[in-house]
Amino acid sequence: MEKYFDINYLWTALPQLLPFLWITLFVAALAVIFGSLLGLILAVFKLSKNKFLRFLANSYITVMRCTPSIVLLFLVYYGIPAFADHFLGIYLQDVHTGVFVVITFSLQFAAMMAEVIRSAYLAVDKGQYEAAVSVGLTPFQAYRRIIFPQAIVFALPNFGNGLIAVLQEGALAYTIGFIDIVGKANLIIANNYNTHALEIYIALAVFYWVFSIAIAKFFGKLEKVFSKGQSSLKTS
Amino acid sequence: MNSSFINTEFLIDTFFVALSGVPIALLVTAVALAIALPIGFFLALSRINEIPVLNGFTKVYVSFVRGTPLIIQIFVLYSILPLILAGIFERYEIDFPIYEVNPLWYAFVIFSFNTAAILVEVFRSALKTVNAGQLEAAYSVGLTTSQAYRRIIIPQMLVSTMPNLCTATINLIKATSLGYAISLQEITLKAKVAANVGYNYLEAYIDIFIVYLILCITVEYLFKVFEKRLSRYKAVATA
């Protein structure tokens, strides 16, 4: 009789699984890029004096916080093509599922980043901007050279946490038929008539675990590097 | 294909189908919190007091739960639990239909497992906000450790726990949407099954979306009210 649990089975499954790791990471990276851009816009809205813009950003963030990833994923996956088809007359049914995955997690990441960017911006002392302008920098220069480098130190830990979150939420992409590492794992399991599922799932857990720890460690180091400059500024 | 963008009739009907999944989602949330709160608290204490074996175990446990997606945790636990239980029952020759267990029981175990680890970190950071002198002061007036915690430490800790506990609860409610993976009859699965008949998936997911939105905003509001009451106590205590 075949064993229920056979860890050696992994040596045959891993080579099939590993190439799809890059797809998982690639999608997460795209979501981080687009999400950060949208998050920046939302943060500007949140900080603006215009009541309507603030309301808009706040409602967006509340809605995102209250929506499970899987629900958002399906809303985007079914909603956008239906909307485009009906109102704009554009046919989107053939668009690659990866596009919808990236859209979903960008939308979600943007809500996280809006809060991160806002709190980092507020953490920088107002006097810094005034001082920069008073020595003749233009507002743009002041932001780029004075505010931004300081704000980034405050934002780093939360940004790292957001990165881990978006990588993990991405594990749900398989539900709309996207073949990333989880999707491929489920395909392998289905091909084996549902045997050895546990071994594959444990391998997946280890992948994510390793990457999460690596990201956390990396941002911990990065934070140290950046805040070193800050403390030397204070003492001088 | 169809003439209107959204099938309004289906949208309204399915809203109530989705709503009928709310009790299960809330039951799982409540049970998971009830189990995870004490476990999370004691593991947080063992982390802070650096109790030898428990501290190391908790570190790994928390790191695993925070480092892996919940859906993967569900996959792993849902395939490992029946295997372990079947082994135990076989050994002691207990005749129990292990593969016909209500998924609700698995949901309780899985979501408690996940939430307890999250709460360890919540309680740990909250315990750190309480000044160490408070415990010493409590000892010096003759309170026992359990009295000191119950009357001095925990009430102060609660105030700073509330926002994080609220986030954890919201995340837990959202996480129950993954119950589909163990065929738990909650909000998402119920509406999805209703949509299977006529492929009205968009309408079904709009309904699910609205239900979670109402649920989460309500919970957030309740936490805010409770937090206000707690901080009023804090103001009295410090005065």
Side-chain angles (χ1 to χ4, degrees):
Chain A
M1 202 182 110
E2 208 183 352
K3 271 199 284 184
Y4 277 126
F5 186 77
D6 181 9
I7 205 73
N8 288 322
Y9 171 77
L10 276 183
W11 298 117
T12 59
L14 273 186
Q16 297 176 60
L17 215 51
L18 272 176
F20 291 87
L21 184 60
W22 299 115
I23 300 182
T24 299
L25 295 178
F26 181 63
V27 168
L30 283 181
V32 166
I33 294 168
F34 294 126
S36 300
L37 289 176
L38 184 58
L40 184 66
I41 298 172
L42 283 170
V44 171
F45 279 15
K46 255 188 98 105
L47 289 164
S48 87
K49 290 196 178 69
N50 189 325
K51 247 188 187 164
F52 177 70
L53 289 183
R54 274 208 313 267
F55 172 77
L56 211 65
N58 282 331
S59 340
Y60 176 85
I61 292 164
T62 305
V63 167
M64 281 297 150
R65 199 177 49 226
C66 293
T67 312
S69 308
I70 188 159
V71 176
L72 187 66
L73 192 60
F74 276 100
L75 270 182
V76 167
Y77 181 59
Y78 290 119
I80 290 181
F83 184 86
D85 190 28
H86 194 261
F87 290 104
L88 310 170
I90 305 168
Y91 187 71
L92 288 179
Q93 306 286 351
D94 294 335
V95 173
H96 194 271
T97 46
V99 177
F100 297 113
V101 174
V102 171
I103 292 175
T104 304
F105 293 112
S106 302
L107 290 174
Q108 208 178 39
F109 192 69
M112 284 187 247
M113 277 311 104
E115 290 289 345
V116 172
I117 294 170
R118 190 185 71 103
S119 60
Y121 171 80
L122 290 177
V124 177
D125 191 36
K126 268 240 159 65
Q128 297 281 332
Y129 174 78
E130 284 158 18
V133 176
S134 76
V135 297
L137 294 188
T138 66
F140 178 72
Q141 279 176 324
Y143 273 107
R144 198 173 55 106
R145 300 204 179 166
I146 310 294
I147 307 289
F148 186 66
Q150 294 184 68
I152 239 181
V153 182
F154 292 112
L156 270 180
N158 289 330
F159 185 76
N161 286 340
L163 214 62
I164 294 173
V166 82
L167 184 68
Q168 292 189 3
E169 298 295 342
L172 289 172
Y174 85 94
T175 50
I176 61 167
F178 184 62
I179 306 297
D180 63 348
I181 195 160
V182 185
K184 183 64 186 174
N186 279 324
L187 281 181
I188 294 175
I189 290 164
N191 281 339
N192 288 328
Y193 308 102
N194 291 333
T195 60
H196 297 301
L198 183 57
E199 291 91 326
I200 302 236
Y201 289 143
I202 288 177
L204 282 183
V206 172
F207 280 142
Y208 279 102
W209 198 0
V210 167
F211 270 95
S212 301
I213 291 176
I215 293 173
K217 282 256 150 68
F218 175 73
F219 274 88
K221 280 247 165 68
L222 214 60
E223 204 194 333
K224 251 182 206 155
V225 170
F226 274 99
S227 48
K228 244 179 212 162
Q230 204 185 31
S231 59
S232 72
L233 264 180
K234 260 181 206 156
T235 49
S236 64
Chain B
M1 208 166 67
N2 48 357
S3 52
S4 74
F5 178 50
I6 276 171
N7 183 341
T8 323
E9 197 186 329
F10 182 85
L11 189 74
I12 292 166
D13 287 348
T14 313
F15 179 74
F16 293 102
V17 176
L19 216 52
S20 72
V22 170
I24 291 285
L26 287 182
L27 178 67
V28 170
T29 307
V31 171
L33 272 180
I35 296 174
L37 278 168
I39 295 178
F41 184 69
F42 283 108
L43 289 181
L45 280 182
S46 71
R47 283 281 276 126
I48 285 202
N49 295 322
E50 293 180 357
I51 293 167
V53 182
L54 224 48
N55 185 17
F57 163 80
T58 310
K59 251 187 192 166
V60 175
Y61 166 53
V62 171
S63 162
F64 175 78
V65 169
R66 291 170 58 118
T68 51
L70 178 60
I71 187 76
I72 307 286
Q73 290 166 27
I74 292 176
F75 284 158
V76 169
L77 285 176
Y78 196 53
S79 24
I80 213 168
L81 284 176
L83 226 56
I84 294 171
L85 286 179
I88 294 172
F89 287 145
E90 210 171 297
R91 189 145 170 213
Y92 295 102
E93 287 166 354
I94 301 167
D95 191 28
F96 188 77
I98 191 74
Y99 294 103
E100 290 158 33
V101 178
N102 192 330
L104 202 56
W105 295 104
Y106 284 108
F108 290 158
V109 175
I110 290 168
F111 289 111
S112 307
F113 171 83
N114 180 272
T115 310
I118 306 296
L119 292 184
V120 170
E121 288 301 288
V122 170
F123 285 132
R124 202 163 73 99
S125 64
L127 279 170
K128 275 185 178 164
T129 62
V130 179
N131 196 314
Q134 296 282 333
L135 189 61
E136 284 159 23
Y139 282 145
S140 75
V141 295
L143 293 187
T144 65
T145 307
S146 74
Q147 278 176 327
Y149 269 100
R150 217 182 54 224
R151 302 204 181 162
I152 312 291
I153 308 290
I154 295 178
Q156 292 184 62
M157 188 192 82
L158 268 183
V159 182
S160 55
T161 315
M162 273 304 145
N164 287 332
L165 196 60
C166 177
T167 311
T169 309
I170 299 274
N171 284 341
L172 182 57
I173 292 175
K174 281 159 63 182
T176 58
S177 66
L178 298 180
Y180 78 88
I182 56 171
S183 35
L184 182 70
Q185 292 291 326
E186 43 69 61
I187 303 164
T188 313
L189 191 66
K190 277 197 161 180
K192 212 160 84 177
V193 168
N196 278 341
V197 182
Y199 293 101
N200 301 92
Y201 291 111
L202 180 58
E203 289 87 343
Y205 277 100
I206 290 174
D207 284 329
I208 300 167
F209 168 75
I210 296 170
V211 170
Y212 280 110
L213 201 60
I214 296 171
L215 214 53
C216 289
I217 289 176
T218 314
V219 169
E220 252 176 29
Y221 175 75
L222 291 178
F223 263 95
K224 241 178 213 151
V225 170
F226 190 58
E227 209 183 320
K228 233 180 207 165
R229 274 184 52 185
L230 272 183
S231 57
R232 199 176 58 193
Y233 285 125
K234 198 190 178 190
V236 170
T238 51

